[in-house]
Amino acid sequence: MKKTLMFATVLLCAALVFAGGAKDASGAQAGNKTNDTQLSVVTTIFPIYDFTRALMYGAPDAQNAKVLQTTADKIKADGLLKLLVKPGMEIHSFDPSPADIAAIQKADIFIYNGGESDEWVHEILESMDTNGKVVVRLIDYVDLVEEEIVEGMEHSHDEEHDHHVHEAHGHHHDHDGHEAHEHHDAHHHHDHEHDGHEVHEHHDEHGHEADEHIWTSPANAVKMVNAIRDALIKADAEKFGGTKAELFTKNAADYNRRIERAADTIASVVNKASDKFILMGDRFPLRYFVDYYGLEYRAAFSGCSTAVEANASTIAFLIDTAAERSVPAVFAMELSNRKIAQTVAEGAAKKGGAKPAVLELHTVHNLSKDDFKAGETWVSLMMRNAESLKKGLK
């Protein structure tokens, strides 16, 4: 009841913001359309923003895979592309502001991921007229897997009944560096553009929660790019007669080639490792990533866990695992305080042998303000992961 009242208040404020044309943090009009020949797009999280940015403004620099400053300046000046979850923010606790809701209302296209972190989207879309607006939920374009609890991972009492606990060597990924899922036609469309706000809970036949971190698989990233491409082409055709279909198609193909090259680089690193195992002293939003590359893993928490401190048994298990397998590194995700990873590395060193390094393994869920300002992309962050894996795999 309180949440419903809160949303009603936010929606009322959004209506006032919409009428007044409020500005967002960048100084651009929220959801602004600077002219009648270009589309305005609102995205929820960074990977979606990055893919859309590449399709609207072109692929990043060929050398370092980062966005050029001139491109970043143009995006800001145009005010056509908006990212709701700002750099440095915690994804799972995000609540949209009235200005965010007004931006969604004004946009030609709204693209979101779907899943537990986007539960707020349903009420917002139900409250507004989406006729003429292209709405895309990207989890509808990939094969989902359940969020899992592996041996040693901390989980709540409820999760204990909702997930399979995988035995130590029962989580096998016989993919030879490539995803086992069948690749669907890039143009396979679920037709969620106009009535796409009917948000379904994604569970498997046993009721387990689907893992929403789909973009960590390069194969899924390509499917997401293609879905966004199709949405841009559709909206452009409806509003402007399809003047930019060729551009969007070309830019999608360019960025997909970058994604595939980054994937090949990481696969090469993984295939050279004698022990395809990673230890994560942190949350683990990388299920699709490890499935794609054929990696085994252990971690402190599942991907959507809100926990920040592990209990003694979880820490002890991770320390024992690090020592027994002589891991070169304990990984932590972006924006992490790395305390658990540091504790595990120090504990493993006390059991003999070299102290594991503590390295970042970027999930691309969000990024720091500095990384955003530096023009980091899905591709550049995955190339950073390739370097971390070179050091962190045995």
Side-chain angles (χ1 to χ4, degrees):
M1 182 65 177
K2 287 182 179 179
K3 188 172 183 180
T4 301
L5 289 172
M6 179 190 74
F7 262 99
T9 303
V10 171
L11 291 170
L12 176 60
C13 292
L16 296 173
V17 171
F18 180 83
K23 294 184 177 181
D24 66 17
S26 69
Q29 287 292 123
N32 184 37
K33 302 172 188 177
T34 57
N35 56 54
D36 294 327
T37 61
Q38 297 186 75
L39 298 170
S40 62
V41 186
V42 171
T43 63
T44 50
I45 57 175
F46 176 74
I48 301 173
Y49 173 87
D50 176 57
F51 299 155
T52 308
R53 174 175 61 186
L55 269 61
M56 293 177 69
Y57 291 92
D61 182 76
Q63 297 300 315
N64 60 18
K66 295 183 181 181
V67 174
L68 297 171
Q69 187 57 51
T70 52
T71 303
D73 291 342
K74 180 170 175 52
I75 293 170
K76 185 174 181 180
D78 285 352
L80 295 168
L81 177 60
K82 183 177 177 68
L83 171 63
L84 295 185
V85 181
K86 298 298 185 289
M89 290 182 66
E90 167 54 47
I91 303 289
H92 298 102
S93 60
F94 173 77
D95 282 317
S97 69
D100 292 333
I101 298 171
I104 296 170
Q105 178 70 72
K106 293 174 71 176
D108 296 312
I109 306 173
F110 174 53
I111 311 172
Y112 68 107
N113 193 63
E116 184 178 344
S117 297
D118 281 346
E119 288 179 350
W120 58 269
V121 172
H122 178 58
E123 276 193 79
I124 288 172
L125 291 180
E126 285 292 324
S127 73
M128 63 177 62
D129 181 6
T130 58
N131 287 327
K133 187 188 305 297
V134 176
V135 178
V136 183
R137 183 178 59 182
L138 289 170
I139 60 173
D140 293 327
Y141 295 85
V142 305
D143 296 321
L144 297 173
V145 299
E146 68 180 71
E147 186 168 84
E148 65 182 354
I149 302 295
V150 295
E151 184 187 17
M153 185 180 283
E154 188 168 324
H155 53 288
S156 69
H157 177 74
D158 289 338
E159 287 175 320
E160 203 166 296
H161 292 82
D162 287 345
H163 297 271
H164 290 302
V165 177
H166 295 251
E167 295 301 323
H169 300 288
H171 188 77
H172 297 294
H173 305 277
D174 188 18
H175 306 318
D176 293 325
H178 294 282
E179 190 175 48
H181 296 152
E182 179 182 351
H183 288 256
H184 296 286
D185 185 343
H187 295 278
H188 179 63
H189 223 39
H190 294 258
D191 200 22
H192 288 274
E193 283 83 3
H194 295 288
D195 296 317
H197 55 276
E198 184 180 354
V199 179
H200 302 283
E201 292 297 326
H202 284 263
H203 301 276
D204 69 11
E205 62 182 348
H206 300 291
H208 304 131
E209 189 70 31
D211 191 315
E212 66 192 52
H213 308 95
I214 57 175
W215 60 87
T216 62
S217 158
N220 285 349
V222 167
K223 292 176 184 178
M224 294 168 76
V225 168
N226 291 340
I228 295 168
R229 173 204 62 201
D230 292 347
L232 289 166
I233 290 173
K234 180 180 178 66
D236 181 63
E238 291 176 351
K239 291 187 69 69
F240 309 121
T243 60
K244 292 192 173 181
E246 186 176 342
L247 174 66
F248 295 142
T249 300
K250 175 185 178 299
N251 287 348
D254 286 347
Y255 203 53
N256 282 340
R257 280 193 291 271
R258 307 288 184 91
I259 290 171
E260 288 162 358
R261 283 201 293 268
D264 288 344
T265 300
I266 295 175
S268 177
V269 172
V270 171
N271 290 337
K272 290 175 183 175
S274 60
D275 188 8
K276 296 175 175 57
F277 174 80
I278 58 175
L279 188 69
M280 194 89 164
D282 213 325
R283 297 202 305 260
F284 196 81
L286 289 161
R287 171 78 193 277
Y288 295 92
F289 181 90
V290 296
D291 280 3
Y292 184 91
Y293 292 109
L295 289 163
E296 183 188 359
Y297 75 95
R298 297 292 177 267
F301 311 108
S302 63
C304 281
S305 173
T306 56
V308 293
E309 294 185 6
N311 62 35
S313 61
T314 297
I315 294 291
F317 174 84
L318 294 176
I319 289 172
D320 288 344
T321 302
E324 289 166 7
R325 300 190 73 146
S326 302
V327 297
V330 180
F331 292 99
M333 62 182 286
E334 71 277 5
L335 306 177
S336 168
N337 61 23
R338 302 193 178 191
K339 287 183 179 179
I340 296 173
Q342 292 283 5
T343 300
V344 171
E346 291 167 4
K350 290 177 181 177
K351 288 181 172 286
K355 179 182 175 182
V358 174
L359 302 175
E360 177 188 82
L361 196 59
H362 212 293
T363 72
V364 201
H365 204 167
N366 202 356
L367 73 177
S368 68
K369 292 178 181 178
D370 287 343
D371 279 344
F372 185 83
K373 187 176 180 180
E376 299 286 359
T377 64
W378 184 100
V379 172
S380 67
L381 293 171
M382 284 296 175
M383 292 302 292
R384 187 191 292 182
N385 283 345
E387 293 303 313
S388 291
L389 290 170
K390 281 181 185 178
K391 301 172 185 175
L393 287 175
K394 190 165 68 172

